[in-house]
Amino acid sequence: MQKKIAVIGSGFSGISAAAYAAREGNEVYVFEKNDAIGGRARQMITPNGYLFDMGPSWYWMPDIIEQFFKDFGYRTTDFFELVPLDPQFKMVFSDETIAIPRSYDSLKALFETMEKGAGTRLDAFMRSARHKYDVGMRELVTRPCYSWLEFATPAVIKSAFKLNLLSDFRSYVARYFTHPKLKALMEFPVIFLGASPKNIPALYSLMNYGGYVLGTWYPQGGFHELVRAMKTVAESKGAIFKTNSNVEKIITMKGKVTGLIVNGEYIEFDFVIGSSDYQHTESLLDAPLRNYAEQFWKKKTFAPSCLIYYLGFRERIPGLEHHTLFFENNLDDHIDAIYKEKKWPEHPLFYACCPSKTDPGVAPKGHENLFLLMPLATGIDDDEPTRERYLQLMIKRLERFTGATDLLLKADYKKSYCVSNFASDYNAYEGNAYGLANTLSQTAVWKPSIKNKHLDNLFYTGQLTVPGPGVPPSIISGKIVATEVNKIKMPSL
């Protein structure tokens, strides 16, 4: 019997859940509070012709994203062109800049020039990382994680020792490389997981394989092309998307959700999937019906928030690649400011994304589209003068690196986005940008449950539950939850 399903939020997990739920013939509605779909992956088009991806910009693990489309009989090429980036990115240190080539053989050669024997050790590292990737992305992250028994499969048991679940990532990298810059290059990918490499399980070396070996890509037209494509797939199966639709309350009766209050109107549903930030979804329930009290969230380790500046310039900026990481300062000092001290960093690292180097359509002719991102602690004050001070700092470093001058005088677009914006636009707990950190104590069964413990027909998806933060994990999260909802049989009338 057909189910009537509501999905709250239209980020990657919400669109994914809607597509997989609608594929089974269910009546699916996606409610988005903002005026455009995509959640953190919204797109902003300015009056003077700039097109900004507001969130994700690293297209990694292309095979996982491709699998979503294959599940519905499509390919990504049916919707957009994927461009391989070469170099994949540049990493700027205080005394030199290292470009990461697309070719793995070239990457090996680069490692060898920096440390004798490092090319051979990179092979060994990546063989192990590929094994973790194959097991991790096909066996571990696809589980609903109700119980550890879900992982008692031959493939997982056979691979348990090789997965390095109890080793920390920093120590693991140090087994292979001694050069500090090589260590930085290998540690960089796990920063996306929202914690220090000291606190991330070595299992996540799979990120190195998913990035450096499978490559860094860009969907021509912007990352939002992926959002549009997934929405088209979901709509082809019958899902209906409603923007400017704020879910104000989850209505319950006798252990079940009966419906939602949306923009003041009550609408009945058989099932509800919360793709909005988990803690916010819970706030729509009466307190006794929530899985977790406020104290639970206060004790959790959240991935960072960030300061973002969307900038348009009237001239091209020399020397920049599509992705450039500014690592002239100490990584651990910045991480301590985020996790230990909860303050603005004194000597920050930051990231510059310049998609107009690859895609002329994202800026007017002869102009440059640039977004600067600096990771920050969640829950801190982010007034405009403080934002501006850090913009000045980043711009000075950018000018020093590129040789450009007076960049802000040449800017014809400037917009900041920070902690309080994440909180207001996405109902993000303490303004988090990336969900919960993937520390060992917040992995798998130890993540917030995908199912409400008090209500049989309320489920949760997204980066605060399994499998975790990032675009491919969020897509997988939507599939996991839709599969669980699809399994449940409706009572006969």
Side-chain angles (χ1 to χ4, degrees):
M1 185 178 171
Q2 185 187 58
K3 306 177 182 86
K4 187 177 180 183
I5 301 170
V7 179
I8 306 172
S10 68
F12 284 112
S13 66
I15 302 173
S16 174
Y20 286 106
R23 186 178 66 172
E24 301 305 309
N26 297 307
E27 184 181 354
V28 180
Y29 296 84
V30 182
F31 297 103
E32 170 57 55
K33 74 183 277 282
N34 294 307
D35 60 5
I37 69 155
R40 288 165 170 82
R42 288 183 298 161
Q43 191 174 68
M44 177 173 61
I45 302 174
T46 73
N48 57 343
Y50 292 98
L51 187 153
F52 291 99
D53 284 315
M54 295 188 72
S57 57
W58 290 82
Y59 198 108
W60 275 3
M61 303 185 182
D63 57 323
I64 303 301
I65 297 173
E66 191 70 50
Q67 187 60 52
F68 169 85
F69 293 96
K70 286 182 179 177
D71 284 348
F72 296 90
Y74 296 103
R75 299 183 63 84
T76 51
T77 51
D78 295 326
F79 301 97
F80 52 80
E81 178 191 0
L82 266 185
V83 179
L85 300 184
D86 191 10
Q88 299 189 46
F89 61 91
K90 280 185 177 178
M91 187 172 272
V92 180
F93 295 99
S94 58
D95 57 347
E96 69 174 318
T97 298
I98 299 173
I100 302 304
R102 180 187 175 202
S103 158
Y104 179 70
D105 286 342
S106 298
L107 184 65
K108 272 181 64 179
L110 171 66
F111 272 55
E112 191 64 34
T113 62
M114 295 178 67
E115 180 179 309
K116 186 172 176 55
T120 301
R121 291 194 296 277
L122 181 65
D123 271 341
F125 184 98
M126 288 302 182
R127 277 195 300 273
S128 178
R130 178 174 184 170
H131 176 76
K132 294 184 182 77
Y133 188 87
D134 290 341
V135 175
M137 300 309 293
R138 287 163 180 79
E139 293 284 339
L140 299 183
V141 304
T142 58
R143 312 289 174 178
C145 295
Y146 297 130
S147 161
W148 290 111
L149 292 175
E150 294 169 27
F151 300 96
T153 67
V156 174
I157 291 169
K158 183 180 177 183
S159 302
F161 181 73
K162 294 181 181 178
L163 295 177
N164 300 110
L165 288 165
L166 300 179
S167 302
D168 73 87
F169 191 81
R170 173 157 291 172
S171 299
Y172 182 76
V173 168
R175 294 182 204 171
Y176 292 87
F177 310 105
T178 58
H179 196 296
K181 288 171 186 169
L182 290 185
K183 288 181 179 180
L185 284 168
M186 298 307 282
E187 288 181 356
F188 150 67
V190 302
I191 294 172
F192 287 115
L193 301 176
S196 166
K198 295 182 288 189
N199 298 319
I200 293 285
L203 165 69
Y204 290 106
S205 62
L206 63 86
M207 294 279 290
N208 298 84
Y209 178 80
Y212 295 167
V213 178
L214 297 184
T216 303
W217 302 77
Y218 172 77
Q220 205 73 2
F223 212 98
H224 195 72
E225 290 300 308
L226 176 58
V227 173
R228 286 197 188 96
M230 289 179 63
K231 176 176 180 275
T232 299
V233 169
E235 288 177 327
S236 75
K237 297 302 174 185
I240 296 169
F241 289 79
K242 293 183 173 290
T243 55
N244 296 305
S245 298
N246 186 36
V247 176
E248 298 159 355
K249 184 76 176 171
I250 299 173
I251 305 301
T252 66
M253 184 182 294
K254 297 180 180 177
K256 287 189 178 295
V257 172
T258 60
L260 303 175
I261 303 290
V262 183
N263 292 346
E265 177 189 356
Y266 174 68
I267 309 173
E268 288 188 358
F269 288 100
D270 300 313
F271 287 84
V272 170
I273 297 172
S275 171
S276 51
D277 255 38
Y278 198 122
Q279 186 272 340
H280 171 71
T281 304
E282 294 251 280
S283 76
L284 304 175
L285 292 165
D286 293 334
L289 298 177
R290 299 170 189 168
N291 278 352
Y292 308 104
E294 177 70 13
Q295 272 314 109
F296 172 87
W297 299 108
K298 285 186 187 235
K299 291 177 182 175
K300 288 295 170 186
T301 301
F302 275 81
S305 186
C306 52
L307 168 64
I308 301 172
Y309 266 93
Y310 307 101
L311 301 163
F313 298 97
R314 292 187 295 272
E315 65 177 42
R316 306 306 294 265
I317 302 172
L320 273 183
E321 297 295 337
H322 191 117
H323 299 301
T324 307
L325 300 162
F326 286 82
F327 266 56
E328 310 104 306
N329 296 324
N330 185 277
L331 171 63
D332 286 339
D333 288 347
H334 192 142
I335 286 173
D336 286 347
I338 294 171
Y339 294 107
K340 288 184 180 177
E341 297 154 8
K342 285 269 190 180
K343 67 175 188 178
W344 286 79
E346 290 181 28
H347 305 290
L349 286 65
F350 69 98
Y351 156 58
C353 179
C354 193
S356 47
K357 297 296 184 187
T358 306
D359 186 352
V362 301
K365 188 174 181 180
H367 290 222
E368 203 81 282
N369 173 318
L370 183 68
F371 116 4
L372 301 178
L373 182 151
M374 189 179 80
L376 281 177
T378 58
I380 61 174
D381 292 333
D382 62 344
D383 57 84
E384 203 60 42
T386 303
R387 298 184 191 196
E388 283 289 321
R389 182 160 59 87
Y390 279 86
L391 171 63
Q392 295 285 345
L393 185 154
M394 291 188 284
I395 288 291
K396 283 177 184 174
R397 284 163 63 182
L398 191 67
E399 289 176 338
R400 188 165 63 241
F401 171 67
T402 63
T405 58
D406 300 321
L407 279 177
L408 287 180
L409 295 178
K410 299 164 185 172
D412 57 354
Y413 187 81
K414 183 180 79 168
K415 179 182 175 67
S416 68
Y417 202 92
C418 203
V419 179
S420 58
N421 301 103
F422 281 99
S424 62
D425 286 359
Y426 309 124
N427 296 308
Y429 185 75
E430 292 196 336
N432 79 82
Y434 303 105
L436 283 177
N438 263 359
T439 59
L440 183 59
S441 63
Q442 294 181 169
T443 295
V445 176
W446 291 323
K447 282 191 183 294
S449 173
I450 66 166
K451 190 175 187 309
N452 186 279
K453 300 167 187 174
H454 311 285
L455 303 161
D456 294 340
N457 55 347
L458 174 59
F459 291 78
Y460 309 87
T461 186
Q463 58 186 11
L464 271 77
T465 183
V466 294
V471 173
S474 291
I475 294 172
I476 292 169
S477 183
K479 182 177 182 178
I480 290 170
V481 168
T483 300
E484 292 305 297
V485 171
N486 290 336
K487 284 180 187 174
I488 301 171
K489 289 185 168 49
M490 290 287 289
S492 301
L493 294 177

